[in-house]
């Protein structure tokens, strides 16, 4: 599995930087965002370093499917009952800040409004 020693999320996956874990398995780590936009805001991060969604290929179908199926399970487990939002920012024009593929999963009252 690839790893970038300078990547913030690779360091979190490796346990070098602490996080508040919500879920972990052999493919992904999910943890609570330190600057949440919603009452419940977790990031689902592949353990494999993939810089952005535009670098995905056919070999990543299982990984993205796994992340997509995990999102509603996490929201249910965290008490979100009235809907949630998923976002994957890609590249500079897509608002990506950390160049390690990650899915934001946000739930609670109007999670997309930041005021």
């Amino acid at each position: 599995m690839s790893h970038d020693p300078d990547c913030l999320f690779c360091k979190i996956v490796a346990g070098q930087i602490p996080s508040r874990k919500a879920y972990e398995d052999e493919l992904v780590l999910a943890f609570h965002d330190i600057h949440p936009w919603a009452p419940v805001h977790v990031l689902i991060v592949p353990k494999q370093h993939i810089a952005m969604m535009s670098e995905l290929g056919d070999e990543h179908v299982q990984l993205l499917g796994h992340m997509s199926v995990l999102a509603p399970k996490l929201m249910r487990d965290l008490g979100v009952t009235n809907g949630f939002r998923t976002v994957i920012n890609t590249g500079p024009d897509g608002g990506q800040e950390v160049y390690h593929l990650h899915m934001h999963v946000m739930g609670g009252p109007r999670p997309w409004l930041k005021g």
Side-chain angles (χ1 to χ4, degrees):
M1 204 171 289
S2 66
H3 174 84
D4 177 345
D6 297 321
C7 172
L8 173 67
F9 288 169
C10 283
K11 290 177 182 179
I12 291 172
V13 166
Q16 297 168 340
I17 295 175
S19 67
R20 200 175 88 180
K21 292 181 186 178
Y23 177 86
E24 184 174 15
D25 64 25
E26 66 281 351
L27 294 176
V28 300
L29 172 65
F31 56 92
H32 294 268
D33 195 297
I34 61 169
H35 298 294
W37 281 46
V40 177
H41 184 168
V42 296
L43 302 176
I44 302 175
V45 177
K47 289 187 172 181
Q48 174 185 5
H49 181 80
I50 303 164
M52 63 183 90
M53 193 169 194
S54 59
E55 293 184 359
L56 293 174
D58 291 340
E59 68 275 18
H60 300 110
V61 169
Q62 179 184 0
L63 173 64
L64 261 290
H66 181 58
M67 291 169 67
S68 297
V69 170
L70 179 58
K73 178 188 180 316
L74 280 174
M75 290 294 103
R76 280 191 304 273
D77 291 351
L78 294 169
V80 174
T81 59
N82 199 32
F84 60 92
R85 184 176 191 197
T86 58
V87 175
I88 299 175
N89 299 318
T90 304
D93 288 342
Q96 188 171 2
E97 295 177 4
V98 177
Y99 282 81
H100 183 122
L101 176 69
H102 57 287
M103 177 186 287
H104 294 262
V105 188
M106 299 168 279
R110 302 189 49 103
W112 52 92
L113 294 180
K114 187 170 184 175

